[in-house]
Amino acid sequence: EGCFKRSRGFAVPFGRCEFCGGNLTRVPEDPPTDARLAALQEAYQIEVTSHLFYLRLAAAVDDPESADFFEEMSRMERDHAIELDRKYHLHLGEEPFRDLGRPLPYPFFEDLRFFAESGHLTCLFDCAIELEEKTLRFFAEKADGFPEGPEKDLYQELAAEEVEHIALLESRRDRLKGVR
């Protein structure tokens, strides 16, 4: 909507233009995508976006232990996307994970740097937890909208992964705060 460039892809990280950072508008397909493929597309896009999010968190912190933790979270998200690719025969390869060679034009990442530099590392964990909780709600709501079947199973599986991520993040954040 900003630069009016057209993009084509199965997944677009953050739902934003990689050139200007503006919102993307989906052009309707002809014929429309079936429900199972749409579910896979949404799930894959969320995994790729989360992968990039955690990479940016890792780069924003000076604490090596936290940077390693965020890199591990990034690898987990990437592995989830690769698992979807293999399990459902999407044949997407490495393209969604390519390094564009420039910072993504999203102001949100500047906020991450601010929190990291101001010593509010727990705020970064809170941001990550909020992202995972939002993703969990999204997957749970999607699962509730389907009858028993493959789409419901996919969304329930993805929601369970988000519960695991939330627990990991909360545990690490609580250790930073000195909470036992």
Side-chain angles (χ1 to χ4, degrees):
E1 294 175 359
C3 66
F4 301 104
K5 292 188 187 300
R6 289 181 163 248
S7 296
R8 169 173 263 161
F10 187 76
V12 181
F14 305 99
R16 303 287 208 148
C17 175
E18 68 182 83
F19 300 104
C20 73
N23 290 323
L24 294 176
T25 301
R26 182 179 294 269
V27 177
E29 297 177 55
D30 188 31
T33 304
D34 68 47
R36 187 166 183 221
L37 185 59
L40 287 168
Q41 187 175 22
E42 287 174 328
Y44 192 85
Q45 181 161 323
I46 287 171
E47 299 295 349
V48 171
T49 296
S50 297
H51 161 73
L52 294 172
F53 172 75
Y54 285 117
L55 275 182
R56 297 303 189 254
L57 277 179
V61 300
D62 293 327
D63 175 47
E65 189 176 320
S66 294
D68 289 348
F69 175 79
F70 288 134
E71 284 178 9
E72 180 58 28
M73 292 296 293
S74 174
R75 278 191 292 278
M76 288 171 64
E77 299 290 3
R78 186 175 194 270
D79 289 349
H80 293 162
I82 290 169
E83 183 180 335
L84 286 172
D85 187 14
R86 289 181 183 148
K87 184 175 182 178
Y88 295 101
H89 308 285
L90 301 175
H91 307 289
L92 297 171
E94 295 295 313
E95 182 64 18
F97 305 105
R98 71 186 163 93
D99 182 1
L100 297 174
R102 62 185 183 277
L104 295 173
Y106 310 141
F108 174 70
F109 293 118
E110 292 305 314
D111 294 343
L112 297 179
R113 172 55 71 186
F114 168 78
F115 283 123
E117 290 175 353
S118 63
H120 296 289
L121 192 54
T122 56
C123 289
L124 294 178
F125 279 89
D126 290 340
C127 281
I129 291 166
E130 186 177 329
L131 172 74
E132 297 289 351
E133 288 173 341
K134 181 179 178 182
T135 304
L136 171 61
R137 285 190 302 275
F138 175 80
F139 287 146
E141 288 171 10
K142 286 291 193 171
D144 289 345
F146 283 101
E148 293 301 321
E151 294 88 1
K152 185 178 197 80
D153 293 344
L154 171 65
Y155 281 121
Q156 287 175 331
E157 177 184 331
L158 293 165
E161 289 174 352
E162 302 311 317
V163 170
E164 177 187 346
H165 293 176
I166 292 166
L168 288 168
L169 288 159
E170 287 175 338
S171 174
R172 182 59 63 118
R173 181 200 58 201
D174 291 349
R175 282 197 319 190
L176 284 172
K177 289 180 175 180
V179 175
R180 297 281 179 236

